[in-house]
Amino acid sequence: MTEETDSQPTHTIATFVDKGGVGKTTTTAHLGVALAQRGYDVLLIDLAGKQGDLSKQFGITPDPDAWPDISTVFRDKWKEITEKLPDVVDELVTPTGEGPDLIPATEALDGLDAELNSVDNARERYSRFDQFLTNSIDGRYDFVLIDLPGVTNNVTLNGLWAAENVMVPVRPGPFEAEQAAALQDDVAEINDQFDLAIELTLVIPNEVDLRTKLGRHYVEAFADEYPNAIGEQIPSSQDIQNQQKRGETVFALEEPSKTAHRALEAYEANAKLLETRVGKSTANTPSVQ
């Protein structure tokens, strides 16, 4: 974890679409590594549930008895805990070995939605995670990437509230296009209701086969629908799935296949797009090899 500094604002990006199996966790992990390789301090936070897929992506097995965990920051006693234990945030963080740090998911997240339902005031219910980031994380990292659940619940809304930006991985298809459009409407509604300024920053077509007419058609359709947010499409590569099983990203491959190399180039391009769209300067960052 880096030292807190007032000169480097932290940019928060939530990865979300109201559907599972579109590559949210894979995208979060690979964009995090790509940004770290560009010289940024990056924190990944897994709010997606007890499966802990973001931890598995990096071969990390969190201690199930560890305290505190990420669910603790949503609870009433978190402020009291930080006052008594000023270094408690460090206990949440685990290095991934590939550049970013990680706050892993925990089984306790699965009961958190019901707990938050008991908070009557909507602003208080949805802003708890934002309070944690503002008070405990801002200034320590350049980027915070949040992997959200594939369903809209109180934890998801906390993540969206906290995010300045939303990144949306989609697999080309009519249902995914509808979900991305619905998210755009949801973000606008949240902004209006609570006077926020969340932006749909990056829409990433995932596992695209541009050799097919259908694949090209959907990429063009997404580009037409989100001209200011469309990112570089990620091609299909068996290496991505193979590396997940090994507990690594494709960035860890010494000899990537042609498809893996194209995927790496796409992740790097999307990292550059994130830099541009959140206003980060790349003047002091190394060029990606």
Side-chain angles (χ1 to χ4, degrees):
M1 183 179 294
T2 61
E3 294 292 330
E4 185 171 355
T5 171
D6 294 330
S7 63
Q8 294 292 329
T10 298
H11 290 281
T12 306
I13 301 163
T15 309
F16 178 68
V17 65
D18 196 354
K19 184 179 186 295
V22 295
K24 295 192 313 301
T25 299
T26 304
T27 299
T28 304
H30 284 80
L31 263 293
V33 175
L35 287 167
Q37 290 196 355
R38 293 189 63 74
Y40 292 115
D41 292 313
V42 180
L43 176 65
L44 310 178
I45 303 180
D46 190 353
L47 294 182
K50 65 182 180 182
Q51 292 85 357
D53 288 340
L54 196 52
S55 296
K56 294 175 184 175
Q57 174 70 78
F58 293 102
I60 295 170
T61 304
D63 180 357
D65 298 321
W67 184 91
D69 58 43
I70 188 58
S71 72
T72 314
V73 310
F74 289 85
R75 296 189 165 93
D76 293 332
K77 291 185 177 180
W78 176 250
K79 183 178 180 181
E80 180 182 340
I81 292 170
T82 57
E83 290 172 349
K84 292 182 177 179
L85 302 171
D87 296 328
V88 69
V89 175
D90 295 339
E91 299 299 319
L92 297 172
V93 176
T94 299
T96 64
E98 291 195 45
D101 285 343
L102 169 68
I103 298 181
T106 173
E107 290 190 4
L109 283 171
D110 285 9
L112 193 58
D113 182 58
E115 289 184 40
L116 290 171
N117 267 336
S118 66
V119 181
D120 293 331
N121 183 281
R123 179 172 288 275
E124 169 64 18
R125 184 190 314 137
Y126 299 141
S127 66
R128 292 195 170 190
F129 186 63
D130 180 59
Q131 293 171 31
F132 161 66
L133 293 182
T134 300
N135 296 329
S136 301
I137 299 297
D138 278 4
R140 296 173 180 253
Y141 293 91
D142 300 306
F143 285 92
V144 174
L145 305 187
I146 310 163
D147 191 20
L148 294 179
V151 62
T152 302
N153 60 21
N154 287 317
V155 175
T156 302
L157 291 170
N158 264 267
L160 292 175
W161 179 294
E164 300 163 324
N165 309 276
V166 180
M167 181 166 61
V168 186
V170 290
R171 284 200 171 113
F175 181 75
E176 284 75 5
E178 291 173 7
Q179 293 299 92
L183 176 60
Q184 193 165 231
D185 293 339
D186 290 344
V187 168
E189 183 178 343
I190 293 170
N191 284 339
D192 290 342
Q193 184 176 358
F194 297 109
D195 193 26
L196 300 175
I198 305 164
E199 294 185 8
L200 190 61
T201 302
L202 192 60
V203 176
I204 304 177
N206 204 18
E207 295 190 14
V208 181
D209 188 351
L210 292 177
R211 296 171 298 179
T212 67
K213 184 177 180 179
L214 187 61
R216 293 192 298 272
H217 167 75
Y218 278 123
V219 169
E220 291 168 1
F222 277 114
D224 289 341
E225 182 70 23
Y226 308 101
N228 298 320
I230 194 69
E232 186 72 20
Q233 61 267 17
I234 309 297
S236 298
S237 174
Q238 186 60 44
D239 277 344
I240 295 177
Q241 285 75 37
N242 292 341
Q243 286 295 94
Q244 285 177 325
K245 294 176 182 177
R246 296 188 184 104
E248 296 177 333
T249 71
V250 289
F251 283 95
L253 283 171
E254 293 184 4
E255 297 182 1
S257 65
K258 289 182 179 180
T259 57
H261 184 71
R262 288 196 292 269
L264 286 169
E265 289 181 335
Y267 286 125
E268 290 164 353
N270 285 317
K272 293 179 184 179
L273 283 172
L274 280 179
E275 288 177 335
T276 302
R277 291 175 185 174
V278 304
K280 274 287 188 184
S281 170
T282 60
N284 297 320
T285 61
S287 60
V288 178
Q289 299 298 317

